[in-house]
Amino acid sequence: MCGRNFVVAVTELAPGDRLTKHQLPDEYVLLVQDDAVVEAEHGSRAPASVTEPALVVVPAGTSTVRAASATTVARVFMARCDEQMKQAVNHGATADLRAAPLPETTESGQDVIRIHRLRDVPDGEGRLGRIFRTASLMVNRFPVHEGPRDTERLSPHSHQDFEQMSVTLPGRYAHHLRAPWTPRMSEWRDDAHVQVNSPSMTLIPPAVVHTIRAVGAGPHTLIDVFAPPREDFHPDLSAFRGSSRRRNPGPELPRNGHADEFTALQDPTGTCTLWFCVSDPGPGPSRWAQVLLGPQFDGSA
């Protein structure tokens, strides 16, 4: 499945299966989600072996991924990889031009496979997943969640100029989606509540208010994909070193906010925004999500 800037492929592999890509113009991300043995080969170097959950950045060019045991992997390619985009089930759909386009990269990737093991980025209270970044891509891998999510602690939010691809591996989830109202009533849509089994991919358009919850028993794994990288996220670990981009520090929100509370901010231009606290403070500060507001009208009462 593809968005404007990227395409995600989820593949179930049997022992000995190989996935070879020839002369890719851009690096891609391989997500290994269990303890199966997976090898990645690039150029004339010895294969890199992965035996635990990890995010692997594979350089541009020709590469092969081989499974030594049965497993399911996800791969994220950039839109510059034309062949992979054309293979997406929704390739014929019109690109959503509200999504920020991929900039011409000024960063040069590395010609070596980089392996980032999840155990090197331990879970932490208050952390919004494990965030990894390449020159053109951001992946947020949430901690494994056991059982259903508390329906009184959801986190509806939206992104005004980003598409979000939510990948589930494994678990059973429910997506809750709300399209914003516009002045044209013909564009209004009923709220959607969609249950999915894993593996699954869900592309969430810009401006759509969304939240997701685990609804099944057992472990649940959720991965969110964005491209280009979101400037409002501060990566816990960058999969690309030496970035020349400057990070937007974001709004000055309370560090010690409490989950489910709201706060309003006014920027230097006089624009007001409403924010919802997603999580209590832990080792790090509270996390906040901007609340999408509807059309503005002059007061008349």
Side-chain angles (χ1 to χ4, degrees), residues 49-254:
S49 182
V50 182
T51 59
E52 59 186 291
L55 179 144
V56 182
V57 183
V58 182
T62 298
S63 60
T64 297
V65 173
R66 185 182 70 85
S69 55
T71 187
T72 299
V73 298
R75 291 167 296 157
V76 187
F77 303 92
M78 302 314 303
R80 290 182 280 262
C81 299
D82 293 336
E83 178 184 346
Q84 284 66 43
M85 289 289 287
K86 292 176 181 178
Q87 293 174 353
V89 295
N90 63 330
H91 174 65
T94 303
D96 195 325
L97 299 183
R98 294 175 298 176
L102 281 178
E104 290 296 327
T105 181
T106 59
E107 304 171 356
S108 58
Q110 303 176 30
D111 191 32
V112 62
I113 293 173
R114 289 106 72 198
I115 300 175
H116 301 281
R117 295 172 176 82
L118 297 195
R119 61 178 165 85
D120 294 332
V121 189
D123 294 342
E125 185 179 353
R127 175 184 289 148
L128 192 66
R130 298 177 175 96
I131 301 173
F132 301 87
R133 177 190 181 279
T134 70
S136 304
L137 181 72
M138 181 170 284
V139 175
N140 187 11
R141 182 161 182 158
F142 292 87
V144 175
H145 180 81
E146 290 288 338
R149 183 179 181 182
D150 185 352
T151 57
E152 297 302 309
R153 299 181 68 85
L154 302 181
S155 53
H157 62 283
S158 65
H159 317 290
Q160 293 307 301
D161 59 353
F162 277 93
E163 292 176 309
Q164 173 181 315
M165 182 79 81
S166 290
V167 183
T168 66
L169 298 166
R172 188 161 60 91
Y173 287 86
H175 289 278
H176 303 284
L177 308 167
R178 171 170 291 180
W181 285 5
T182 70
R184 298 180 179 179
M185 193 172 182
S186 62
E187 296 177 343
W188 295 5
R189 298 291 181 267
D190 292 336
D191 291 351
H193 308 278
V194 182
Q195 290 201 14
V196 296
N197 293 317
S198 294
S200 74
M201 293 178 284
T202 303
L203 182 65
I204 301 170
V208 170
V209 180
H210 59 279
T211 190
I212 186 173
R213 62 186 178 95
V215 296
H220 294 71
T221 298
L222 174 66
I223 301 163
D224 286 341
V225 177
F226 304 92
R230 291 177 53 182
E231 296 294 339
D232 58 333
F233 273 18
H234 179 64
D236 294 305
L237 176 65
S238 174
F240 181 87
R241 302 294 184 182
S243 169
S244 61
R245 291 196 181 105
R246 296 179 60 188
R247 187 176 68 88
N248 185 342
E252 295 185 1
L253 291 157

Side-chain angles (χ1 to χ4, degrees), residues 233-289:
F233 273 18
H234 179 64
D236 294 305
L237 176 65
S238 174
F240 181 87
R241 302 294 184 182
S243 169
S244 61
R245 291 196 181 105
R246 296 179 60 188
R247 187 176 68 88
N248 185 342
E252 295 185 1
L253 291 157
R255 295 179 57 86
N256 296 316
H258 297 289
D260 303 333
E261 73 180 18
F262 291 86
T263 190
L265 297 179
Q266 186 176 41
D267 67 19
T269 69
T271 301
C272 292
T273 53
L274 183 64
W275 295 81
F276 175 76
C277 188
V278 176
S279 67
D280 293 327
S286 301
R287 296 293 303 182
W288 295 83

